[in-house]
Amino acid sequence: MSKVYICTAIPYVNGNPHIGHAMDYLLSDAYARFRRNLGDEVRFQVGTDEHGNKVYSTAQKNGLPVEEYATQNSHKFQDFIQKLNISYTDIIRTTDPEHVRRCQEIWQKLSPHIYSAEYDGWYCEGCERFITQKEYEETGGNCPDHQKPYERLTEKNYYLRISDFRDEIRAQIESDQMKILPEFRKQEMLHLLEDTLDISISRPKKQLSWGVPVPGDDSQVMYVWVDALSNYITVLGYPDQDISDFWPATAQFVGKDILRFHAITWPAILLGLGLPLPQNLVSHGHVLSNGQKMSKSLGNVIDPIEVVERHGLEAFRYYFSRHIDNFIDSDFTWEKYDEAYNNELANDLGNLVQRLATLCSKNSVSGVSDGRGELAPEYMTLMDKFEFAKAFDYVWTQVRELNKDIDQTKPWELVKKGETDKAQQVLRELVVKIMQTAQLLEPFLPGTSAQIYQIFGNTGIIQRPETPLFPKA
Ligand code: MSP
């Protein structure tokens, strides 16, 4: 049994959750459930990122005190996480006083690598990021992600000396000691590392008061990313507690847009603290809406609650785990969603359960309580490589095989011919297989898996469910 620690990016609380936010949670949840299935002890962190300009200025636009606004939205994210049935163990808000105090201690520990200097350059509030002159020129001074001109800043900041850590970070990325997935992102990060200068890690309080105060300097607050990244260890109790049971993280799941902070800034902080780097940094693509980036101005933002309400939570988890690629951008449209629901969930899986349960109940076949067995090697390999959508495809081949098995073995014909024992034997074998499939489904569709166990996993006579698992829509 190993100890496993899984981390998710913590969203800014400057708005409501959207379907893109679900990706970090679903990927992490699938991995957490997979590892628990193997008998590992899993800690799994989620949370909300509440400081910084972005949150502060949206609170102001909404006419609310920032604390109140952050709390309201943090609760929306917490509800969202619950609604998605995410099996987290630890939850953090970056406004938690314990987190704030721990961040200040982290800052102090990093002080040998911190110096103060004048910053004169560009900033993007949308990205909460300092922009290099090179990027400024390449983009014509406009953030491609936020469609806004960069701001010019001239201010005193504290800097973290990246040059103290560059060689070590490079070595660990190259050797996969900190493995960055997918491979093409690893190459991107290696290039970026060479171009990264020392990182500004504070903002003057007169520009931004909504942040963690820098210890020993009343005029400065921490740059929001320093405070945000630290959540992965403060939530474990660092530096008050020994975190070596669960740190380094087994896997951190983040979107492609924020990989740079996790691949460069975060390792620099960790090395400065004398802590090991995460074992895997898994970077996912973005969910697009009708082939486009979701944005309020395009009016194509999709409300996840609406998606959940359309065909239920399991359908939501199904689509986002199987049809949204782990690593590259993928599209969501209502048409594709409905099609996947009807053709795959209702036709393939829902029908399978209904057909098999009906045949079993008619022929007095009882369930098997121990359908669980060794996981198929193909599935294991894909799950270990964080290729969850492909692992889910593998599960689906099993679902389709089982449908074919029923068609080919035709238990009803055996019954007609009076070969009841043989029919029962065939059905029992199919029941064992559907239970094995339920085990493979568990990380992705825990609710459905539990229903299949309930129907086929008792030792009484199997009963046909009154309503199918996925009624046709
Ligand atoms: N607050 C930072 C993360 C700090 S982690 C120490 C942040 N927040 S965010 O709200 O902008 O994004 C949170 C997560 O959602 C990120 O992993 C981001 O990549 C992901 N996504 C945001 N939009 C997305 C899509 N459209 N599709 C998939 N993931 C997306 O960045």
Side-chain angles (χ1 to χ4, degrees):
M1 190 178 92
S2 328
K3 291 194 192 301
V4 169
Y5 182 38
I6 298 170
C7 298
T8 56
I10 51 173
Y12 293 119
V13 288
N14 64 330
N16 291 338
H18 62 68
I19 51 171
H21 290 125
M23 286 315 292
D24 285 319
Y25 303 133
L26 289 180
L27 295 170
S28 315
D29 193 49
Y31 192 61
R33 292 178 187 271
F34 166 68
R35 296 296 301 249
R36 285 196 200 103
N37 254 335
L38 297 177
D40 294 326
E41 185 183 344
V42 175
R43 272 182 88 166
F44 172 2
Q45 153 283 2
V46 296
T48 44
D49 186 358
E50 307 191 12
H51 292 124
N53 292 56
K54 200 167 153 129
V55 173
Y56 187 77
S57 59
T58 0
Q60 280 197 320
K61 275 183 212 138
N62 283 278
L64 283 177
V66 65
E67 292 83 353
E68 194 179 322
Y69 182 70
T71 299
Q72 255 180 26
N73 283 340
S74 175
H75 288 153
K76 286 188 195 160
F77 275 95
Q78 292 176 35
D79 291 346
F80 181 53
I81 295 168
Q82 298 281 355
K83 202 164 188 117
L84 296 186
N85 189 13
I86 302 302
S87 60
Y88 66 88
T89 56
D90 294 83
I91 185 158
I92 185 164
R93 295 181 56 185
T94 55
T95 47
D96 289 342
E98 282 287 80
H99 169 77
V100 169
R101 179 182 57 76
R102 287 173 177 157
C103 279
Q104 290 174 321
E105 288 180 33
I106 287 174
W107 181 283
Q108 273 157 335
K109 282 180 188 283
L110 290 175
S111 55
H113 306 283
I114 295 178
Y115 64 93
S116 141
E118 190 77 19
Y119 177 77
D120 182 18
W122 304 100
Y123 194 78
C124 172
E125 185 187 285
C127 303
E128 290 284 18
R129 186 160 78 77
F130 296 87
I131 305 297
T132 61
Q133 188 60 28
K134 189 172 158 204
E135 279 181 286
Y136 181 85
E137 283 158 17
E138 281 169 1
T139 53
N142 270 300
C143 173
D145 285 341
H146 297 95
Q147 312 287 341
K148 270 196 202 151
Y150 296 125
E151 291 171 68
R152 183 82 191 179
L153 300 184
T154 309
E155 56 185 41
K156 180 193 145 187
N157 290 163
Y158 286 102
Y159 283 84
L160 183 63
R161 212 179 288 111
I162 291 294
S163 42
D164 290 354
F165 312 111
R166 195 188 321 272
D167 292 345
E168 182 60 23
I169 298 174
R170 186 192 309 109
Q172 294 213 24
I173 296 179
E174 276 173 347
S175 66
D176 286 345
Q177 201 171 331
M178 175 176 78
K179 187 166 182 157
I180 298 181
L181 289 159
E183 174 68 26
F184 72 92
R185 295 264 178 239
K186 166 177 165 181
Q187 299 309 329
E188 266 175 30
M189 291 303 120
L190 283 168
H191 285 297
L192 193 64
L193 178 65
E194 299 314 314
D195 285 347
T196 305
L197 304 172
D198 293 350
I199 294 176
S200 172
I201 53 166
S202 74
R203 300 292 317 274
K205 214 180 204 165
K206 60 178 184 330
Q207 305 294 348
L208 170 75
S209 55
W210 182 234
V212 178
V214 166
D217 185 344
D218 275 350
S219 70
Q220 298 272 318
V221 297
M222 287 181 204
Y223 171 43
V224 62
W225 272 98
V226 173
D227 146 30
L229 289 163
S230 302
N231 96 85
Y232 300 126
I233 51 177
T234 61
V235 76
L236 296 178
Y238 185 86
D240 307 326
Q241 287 162 36
D242 174 10
I243 59 168
S244 58
D245 271 358
F246 285 93
W247 191 264
T250 316
Q252 295 206 219
F253 291 89
V254 301
K256 62 175 186 182
D257 52 326
I258 59 167
L259 179 61
R260 55 170 64 220
F261 298 100
H262 290 81
I264 300 171
T265 319
W266 182 221
I269 295 174
L270 289 167
L271 292 172
L273 297 171
L275 291 173
L277 306 192
Q279 292 164 354
N280 293 285
L281 275 182
V282 187
S283 149
H284 60 80
H286 276 186
V287 184
L288 305 175
S289 159
N290 264 324
Q292 279 180 306
K293 190 180 153 72
M294 270 181 285
S295 85
K296 285 195 188 127
S297 51
L298 286 174
N300 64 350
V301 175
I302 296 179
D303 174 7
I305 305 301
E306 226 183 289
V307 183
V308 171
E309 279 167 4
R310 177 96 141 206
H311 303 299
L313 171 63
E314 297 292 286
F316 180 102
R317 291 186 59 118
Y318 174 78
Y319 190 85
F320 286 89
S321 308
R322 179 153 182 239
H323 292 297
I324 300 290
D325 190 89
N326 289 76
F327 300 135
I328 54 171
D329 293 353
S330 310
D331 203 22
F332 176 92
T333 65
W334 288 107
E335 294 72 35
K336 285 187 194 171
Y337 187 55
D338 290 345
E339 232 173 77
Y341 177 79
N342 281 320
N343 297 345
E344 296 162 17
L345 273 175
N347 273 358
D348 295 340
L349 183 60
N351 255 350
L352 168 68
V353 169
Q354 210 64 11
R355 273 175 98 192
L356 189 56
T358 309
L359 285 164
C360 289
S361 75
K362 276 194 185 155
N363 294 291
S364 309
V365 172
S366 48
V368 293
S369 57
D370 57 352
R372 286 176 191 266
E374 292 278 300
L375 297 171
E378 298 93 313
Y379 174 87
M380 283 291 287
T381 311
L382 291 167
M383 292 300 283
D384 280 335
K385 289 199 297 190
F386 302 97
E387 301 251 18
F388 302 152
K390 291 203 178 109
F392 207 159
D393 283 343
Y394 172 82
V395 183
W396 222 254
T397 58
Q398 302 302 102
V399 169
R400 292 197 167 136
E401 282 300 310
L402 264 168
N403 273 313
K404 266 196 232 150
D405 270 4
I406 302 185
D407 293 342
Q408 279 161 5
T409 50
K410 299 187 177 59
W412 55 93
E413 287 196 354
L414 296 172
V415 176
K416 249 197 238 159
K417 283 193 267 173
E419 297 179 35
T420 318
D421 284 357
K422 193 156 177 215
Q424 282 177 331
Q425 181 54 32
V426 165
L427 287 169
R428 263 194 298 274
E429 282 165 20
L430 292 169
V431 169
V432 171
K433 284 193 191 158
I434 205 170
M435 295 281 281
Q436 284 165 350
T437 308
Q439 188 182 1
L440 302 182
L441 270 179
E442 213 277 326
F444 308 111
L445 305 184
T448 306
S449 169
Q451 276 179 300
I452 298 177
Y453 276 113
Q454 210 192 345
I455 299 166
F456 299 98
N458 58 60
T459 43
I461 302 290
I462 292 167
Q463 299 302 316
R464 173 182 190 264
E466 274 177 27
T467 45
L469 261 46
F470 300 104
K472 272 252 176 176

